[in-house]
């Protein structure tokens, strides 16, 4: 039999030997020695051949079992840590997504509230007293009260290009008329019989036209920029 040194193996397996039970006693039929004696015996053994053959297999099996249990416990602990970390990361992502969704919802609600407030603040054409004539500044003041605040600049851009805020502007070749150059001008009669002389009536018709055809004055202005007409 080869004489293989097992000092390190014997020392590492001392505890395993005690759990197996009095190895020497089991093999020889003698009384079970104490665990201290077993550990001392294992620690003092220097060669595999020094340990009785009947005990060698039990020592090796116990050691391997102990190693397998330790490896399984380590693997379980690592898997648990990995699962906990994945759960933590997912929880953080979920919380962030919920926060962003809540912020977006709050922003949309604020915009909708502002839009409703703007629409409720506008005046109808019939609320303005008719005059024999209007200056550009007066026409613009009327428009500011009739057109929603977030749409006024787009509406103003179109009127600037179409009539320069002259409510009596007329295109001799096409027949377009008024602030928004309705073609023909008589279309504006749907907003009021005084469409030729009342800028408020023209503004009312122009605003309705832009909303119906392009969704809003800003939609109309985007189309105008691309085509130079609307």
């Amino acid at each position: 039999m080869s004489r293989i040194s097992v000092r390190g193996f014997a020392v590492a397996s001392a505890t395993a030997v005690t759990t197996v039970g009095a190895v020497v006693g089991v093999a020889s039929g003698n009384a079970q020695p104490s665990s201290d004696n077993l550990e001392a015996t294992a620690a003092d053994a220097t060669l595999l051949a020094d340990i009785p053959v009947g005990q060698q297999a039990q020592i090796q099996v116990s050691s391997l079992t102990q190693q397998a249990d330790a490896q399984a416990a380590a693997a379980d602990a690592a898997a648990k840590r990995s699962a906990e970390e994945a759960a933590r990361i997912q929880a953080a992502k979920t919380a962030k997504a919920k926060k962003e969704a809540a912020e977006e919802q709050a922003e949309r609600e604020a915009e909708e509230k502002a839009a409703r407030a703007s629409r409720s603040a506008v005046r109808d054409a019939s609320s303005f007293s008719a005059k024999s004539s209007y200056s550009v500044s007066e026409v613009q003041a009327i428009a500011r009260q009739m057109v929603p605040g977030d749409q006024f600049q787009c509406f103003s851009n179109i009127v600037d290009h179409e009539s320069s805020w002259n409510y009596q502007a007329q295109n001799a070749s096409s027949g377009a008329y008024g602030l928004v150059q309705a073609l023909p001008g008589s279309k504006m009669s749907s907003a009021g019989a005084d469409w030729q002389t009342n800028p408020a009536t023209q503004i009312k018709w122009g605003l309705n036209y832009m909303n119906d055809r392009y969704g809003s004055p800003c939609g109309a202005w985007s189309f105008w920029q691309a085509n130079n007409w609307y």
Side-chain angles (χ1 to χ4, degrees), residues 101-119:
E103 290 175 348
E104 291 176 358
Q105 179 65 23
E107 184 177 351
R108 286 195 298 270
E109 290 176 353
E111 291 175 351
E112 291 173 358
K113 182 178 180 180
R116 288 194 298 270
S118 178
R119 287 193 294 269

